[in-house]
Amino acid sequence: METPFEALRGTGVPVEPAAPGDAIAGVLPRWVAYPGTTAEVAALMRVSAEHGLAVVPSGEGTKLAWGNPPERCDLLVRTGRLTSLDHSPGDLVVRVSAGLPIGTLASFPGVAQELALDNPLGAGTVGGTLATAVAGPRRFRYGTARDLLIGVTVVLADGTVATSGGRVVKNVAGYDLGKLLCGSYGTLGVVTEAVFRLHPVPPRRRWVTVEPDSLAALDGLVAALAASQAEPCAVEVDRPGDGSAPVVAALVEGTAAEERAAAVRDLAGGHPARVRDEAPGWWNTLPGDPGGVLCELRLPPAEVGRTLREVTAFGAVGVRGSAASGVLWAAPPPDALPAFVAAVRDRLGGRLVVLAAPYDAVEGIDRWGPVGALPLMRRVKERFDPDRRLSLGRFAGGI
């Protein structure tokens, strides 16, 4: 009788035993596969279904430590060979394979177009970006990946290939499938292709940095900048982990960027402010150290100042993120993580997810916390993956 490994190799896809570097949040798979087409991914998934293999998809592996460790993993599907790109500049649309580095879409040779999706990690693939729904500063104006995604091809757990959406922005059919996949941590299917709407590259960009004299002044400042008629594309806040004062930065774009930046600067309310031609060094980056603790906080924008005041009690906590969108990242010390999580969830009322943390620091902590939509999410998982073999346990509620 053919073994699972022999069956996987029989698809013609390169498959090899896993190495220590292939571990997913500390769980080592049995094998790693390197498909180069959607058809090859489908073949791998059919064999996995026949043999009851648990599968986790991955691109560059930059976010494999995010989320819960999988309950089990037999096969890691690396999408690095899925790298095609089909750009339609006249339609402001691009079709790309899931293994393409997301940074590739920041510019296109000879055409002033871009995917207006900032990537605070500085690395990662299209598929990984969709799976974790990570987005940077300009989410305030352009939205996240789920807002820019207009089509998707995904291989389901049984090997079925499903598609939705189309190549042109006017085609809205199938948007729901793309929205379901964004932020699902690979629990619903293996994305192999995505179609994104693009935007023209603005001719000018200016950043306005403001240094409020107190955390109490922060909420009013953020609200004023976000509501400005100068229409900033992003309003970010940075509170370094060394305890120094926070800085607020706003980005304006377009032909009148200089005039609009001056209008934003005038909203500083007497706080030190200046217009810059370059982004601050911390712009579009995550706080903390690689391999350390990283939490995502979602809260009303009017609560940003209060949140920063609360986290001050935990010492060297770096906080950074999209103040106007109510999405912040925090990097508390590992030994303070349990108290930090409890305080944010209980006292602040915001939703907190522990994205990444050393295994000993996160032990006993529910990474995702209360999720009101969990019953619906379980029904969706049952529909897409009834045998629970895709990224098993990685998502909220052990989905």
Side-chain angles (χ1 to χ4, degrees):
M1 182 178 177
E2 191 176 42
T3 66
F5 182 66
E6 291 170 339
L8 291 170
R9 294 289 296 269
T11 63
V13 179
V15 181
E16 60 186 31
D22 297 314
I24 306 111
V27 176
L28 186 66
R30 298 166 68 185
W31 307 293
V32 182
Y34 302 89
T37 64
T38 296
E40 290 185 349
V41 174
L44 290 171
M45 296 307 296
R46 285 193 295 269
V47 169
S48 297
E50 293 167 359
H51 291 268
L53 304 181
V55 179
V56 174
S58 172
E60 294 180 351
T62 55
K63 296 176 285 294
L64 277 182
W66 288 27
N68 296 322
E71 294 179 20
R72 64 186 181 97
C73 179
D74 299 302
L75 180 65
L76 180 65
V77 176
R78 294 277 195 187
T79 62
R81 294 177 59 226
L82 299 167
T83 57
S84 67
L85 186 154
D86 181 11
H87 180 206
S88 299
D91 295 323
L92 283 168
V93 164
V94 65
R95 178 188 293 273
V96 293
S97 292
L100 195 75
I102 191 69
T104 306
L105 308 183
S107 63
F108 296 86
V111 180
Q113 296 178 2
E114 64 173 349
L115 177 64
L117 180 68
D118 298 322
N119 175 28
L121 281 85
T125 61
V126 168
T129 300
L130 294 177
T132 56
V134 65
R138 287 186 296 167
R139 67 191 303 154
F140 181 56
R141 176 174 180 180
Y142 298 104
T144 63
R146 71 196 305 266
D147 301 297
L148 298 167
L149 184 71
I150 61 173
V152 68
T153 299
V154 59
V155 180
L156 305 181
D158 62 357
T160 300
V161 178
T163 61
S164 75
R167 289 179 56 89
V168 295
V169 174
K170 291 182 180 179
N171 184 355
V172 298
Y175 259 43
D176 286 349
L177 178 58
K179 292 183 186 300
L180 284 174
L181 293 168
C182 287
S184 65
Y185 278 70
T187 58
L188 301 180
V190 182
V191 174
T192 59
E193 286 189 345
V195 184
F196 293 103
R197 76 175 76 199
L198 303 176
H199 286 82
V201 176
R204 295 184 184 87
R205 289 189 173 111
R206 295 293 185 270
W207 286 263
V208 182
T209 56
V210 185
E211 300 175 7
D213 56 14
S214 68
L215 292 176
L218 192 57
D219 292 332
L221 175 61
V222 169
L225 295 179
S228 169
Q229 293 185 358
E231 297 181 334
C233 297
V235 179
E236 297 284 295
V237 64
D238 177 50
R239 191 262 187 182
D242 60 8
S244 56
V247 177
V248 176
L251 167 65
V252 292
E253 299 178 335
T255 54
E258 198 72 45
E259 294 81 0
R260 293 165 64 196
V264 170
R265 182 186 56 200
D266 291 342
L267 296 172
H271 302 294
R274 66 189 183 100
V275 176
R276 308 164 56 120
D277 295 335
E278 301 288 339
W282 53 266
W283 184 269
N284 194 31
T285 62
L286 298 175
D289 300 319
V293 175
L294 181 65
C295 301
E296 182 186 78
L297 293 77
R298 292 182 178 264
L299 62 157
E303 295 289 327
V304 172
R306 180 186 170 210
T307 299
L308 292 183
R309 291 194 296 274
E310 287 282 351
V311 302
T312 302
F314 297 93
V317 180
V319 181
R320 184 176 298 156
S322 300
S325 301
V327 181
L328 302 178
W329 290 295
D335 58 357
L337 183 59
F340 179 80
V341 171
V344 173
R345 289 176 178 168
D346 296 341
R347 297 206 302 270
L348 296 177
R351 181 166 178 243
L352 179 146
V353 176
V354 182
L355 295 176
Y359 304 128
D360 56 348
V362 79
E363 185 177 359
I365 296 176
D366 180 354
R367 287 177 179 254
W368 301 91
V371 179
L374 191 56
L376 175 60
M377 293 162 62
R378 292 189 190 281
R379 291 196 295 272
V380 172
K381 173 68 171 177
E382 175 68 22
R383 183 69 178 269
F384 278 73
D385 181 19
D387 296 326
R388 298 187 72 242
R389 293 185 301 99
L390 271 169
S391 298
L392 181 57
R394 295 275 281 155
F395 201 22
I399 292 176

